[in-house]
Amino acid sequence: EDGIRDVERSRGLGDVYKRQKINTLISKENPKKPYSDSAICKILNDDGVEIARRTVAKYRIKLKILPSNQRKV
């Protein structure tokens, strides 16, 4: 039941907060092994931030961040 309440609370988290979380994750990732949109989605969901992979991709594009295969060093 607590998990359900956590999910309901995360729905109220704003787009700006979610974009900041994505930006922070990507800025701290290993450049040799960048996170895919799916991996970012899983990390955020595990942290209680409900977000879909396609939304991660949409926010990443808005932040002008390349996809993982183009961020790889």
Side-chain angles (χ1 to χ4, degrees):
E1 193 172 67
D2 285 339
I4 293 168
R5 270 193 236 113
D6 289 343
V7 168
E8 286 171 354
R9 252 185 261 127
S10 77
R11 283 193 189 117
L13 296 174
D15 293 357
V16 172
Y17 173 79
K18 291 177 183 179
R19 282 197 298 260
Q20 285 174 340
K21 292 281 280 184
I22 291 167
N23 203 16
T24 302
L25 270 175
I26 291 173
S27 69
K28 293 179 179 180
E29 72 187 359
N30 177 350
K32 292 181 181 177
K33 205 165 186 245
Y35 296 125
S36 65
D37 292 343
S38 297
I40 293 169
C41 178
K42 181 168 177 10
I43 292 166
L44 292 176
N45 281 314
D46 289 348
D47 282 348
V49 179
E50 188 181 287
I51 192 166
R53 187 221 35 94
R54 64 183 180 270
T55 308
V56 169
K58 180 174 85 174
Y59 290 166
R60 178 182 48 72
I61 291 165
K62 278 187 178 182
L63 292 164
K64 295 181 172 51
I65 298 170
L66 295 170
S68 60
N69 63 337
Q70 293 178 24
R71 291 195 313 269
K72 197 171 189 175
V73 177

